[in-house]
Amino acid sequence: ATMSKEDIFLKKLSALLHDPIDKPFILIQGVNHEERTGDLANRLNVWMEESTGADWIASGMERVFLPKGSRKRKELQVRFLDEPEIKHPLSRKDLECSELKKFRIEDVQNVVERTVENIVFDEPERQFLSLWRNYIEQIKKDCPKNRKYWSVIPADTRIPYHSIF
């Protein structure tokens, strides 16, 4: 059976929202990023599909570089806001990000929620295109004092070489 255009864009929205932009901040609180994704999806009136396939492959490719037992051993855990680290994806040089220590998790979550609520549309296609194109810029407008960091927030703080975007 072929998927309708609406179903295709709902699937794209689900994929785009799978890892929320505030994932590095909520993980250090012990919040499950999939619960956070569900919350943001509810704010957008979007259904989230269970993560499979591409996400498993992508995360598996990254995790091969993590030390064995890093999920359970405290000394191998990353506390991103205590010691923020972001590396340039090509040069591997550290980007200056000590200001991130001043980020308040609640502020980050509030900005993300406000931004998402400003991107609600009736049609999944318009919603996806608006979120895909405007999400990062809207967050930068909503949180100007931390503007320079939003586009480089790492997808995985244990391997901070690429942005969540």
Side-chain angles (χ1 to χ4, degrees):
T2 58
M3 292 176 72
S4 70
K5 186 176 181 180
E6 185 172 305
D7 287 341
I8 290 170
F9 279 97
L10 284 171
K11 195 171 186 76
K12 286 181 176 214
L13 270 169
S14 181
L16 185 64
L17 291 171
H18 173 74
D19 282 337
I21 188 173
D22 53 0
K23 180 180 176 181
F25 303 105
I26 62 170
L27 288 178
I28 63 173
Q29 276 188 303
V31 175
N32 180 309
H33 80 280
E34 288 166 353
E35 288 175 21
R36 176 68 171 157
T37 296
D39 175 51
L40 295 176
N42 287 338
R43 290 170 188 272
L44 285 166
N45 298 320
V46 173
W47 140 87
M48 291 302 295
E49 118 180 352
E50 193 171 322
S51 170
T52 57
D55 180 58
W56 292 352
I57 293 168
S59 63
M61 290 173 74
E62 284 183 343
R63 292 187 185 133
V64 76
F65 299 109
L66 296 176
K68 191 172 180 150
S70 62
R71 292 191 110 186
K72 296 178 181 158
R73 292 177 43 202
K74 237 352 178 202
E75 70 273 13
L76 296 176
Q77 297 297 311
V78 174
R79 305 271 315 153
F80 184 62
L81 292 182
D82 292 344
E83 293 297 325
E85 179 182 9
I86 300 174
K87 295 194 178 284
H88 189 280
L90 301 175
S91 70
R92 295 185 60 192
K93 290 187 176 167
D94 287 331
L95 301 176
E96 173 50 48
C97 61
S98 59
E99 284 179 74
L100 285 173
K101 289 181 182 184
K102 296 177 189 169
F103 262 43
R104 289 193 47 229
I105 293 167
E106 300 79 22
D107 294 343
V108 170
Q109 289 176 309
N110 290 337
V111 161
V112 170
E113 289 163 9
R114 260 196 333 269
T115 302
V116 162
E117 287 169 355
N118 290 328
I119 300 181
V120 176
F121 289 103
D122 291 339
E123 304 120 36
E125 180 178 8
R126 283 190 66 208
Q127 194 162 13
F128 170 78
L129 292 172
S130 180
L131 195 64
W132 171 76
R133 179 65 183 96
N134 301 316
Y135 191 33
I136 189 70
E137 291 308 315
Q138 187 64 48
I139 285 177
K140 287 178 180 181
K141 282 182 201 166
D142 290 346
C143 190
K145 75 175 186 182
N146 299 316
R147 177 180 179 78
K148 66 183 176 183
Y149 296 110
W150 284 110
S151 56
V152 294
I153 296 296
D156 189 324
T157 57
R158 300 167 296 182
I159 309 168
Y161 298 105
H162 66 285
S163 161
I164 202 152
F165 280 99

